[in-house]
Amino acid sequence: MKKPAVLATSLAAAFAATLLTTPALADDFPSAITVSGEANISAAPDLAQIDAGVANDAKTAKEASDANNAAMGKVLLALKGAGIAEKDYQTSRLSLQPQYGQNKSTGASPVVGFRASNRVTVKIRDVTKVAGIIDTLVSAGANDIGNISFEVTQASKLLDDAREQAVADARRKAEIYAKATGVTLGAPLSVSEGGAPVPLFKARMATAPMAAPQAAVAPGEETLSVTVNVSWAIKPKEQ
């Protein structure tokens, strides 16, 4: 009959020991300063991407579709003739929509025709050829061109120097906080990159008119940004 009392005493002793050791564990947990560091780098783009399309109107859906297919066929042949690989252009939108008129006497909106449209997204791996490719597309019958963007394909490699600069920026900030709070900065406890590095700027161009002279395109530079989050251990400043 004494065994339950012995068991209860053992549990109470174990619980008391846990309470006594908890503060010691808390003291061993390091305090830290956590800051973010940032750095930017600029680089010339080596890839351009544009959207090009054709739109055709006709009285019947078949007439509009047939005319559109023939027009897009010419555009695709022109891309191939300009040296664009088949893997670098892809259909991005295909549509056939009724066009409505207005009957003033009845207020109805009858179907008066159809519009067929087809768009492709084109990757241009030599940015010096962008203007020439646009002219080729317009000459081949493309009447809807726009949404041009430039990209740095090897951005991650180019950002290696920026990553070092971002860590240095984080250390600079951490040292300011350590000095202001009267502590000493210790070793870094963790380092993480804050999301994927992305361009801060993307160039775009409005729709090009069919009879325009050679398109004026300026690739410029892409500004890439990287952010790192760093935690440093801290300790009381030595007297």
Side-chain angles (χ1 to χ4, degrees), residues 10 20 22 30 51 53 66 74 93 101 113 116 126 137 139 141 160 169 190 204 212 217:
S10 299
L20 290 173
T22 299
D51 289 339
D66 288 347
K74 293 180 181 179
R93 190 182 71 192
D126 183 350
L137 290 167
S139 299
D160 286 346
D169 182 52
S190 66
R204 293 197 174 273
V217 179

Side-chain angles (χ1 to χ4, degrees), residues 36-39 161-171 226-228 230:
S36 295
E38 299 177 350
D161 288 341
R163 290 184 172 98
E164 293 183 6
Q165 295 172 24
V167 172
D169 182 52
R171 175 177 285 278
V226 63
T227 301
V228 295
V230 187

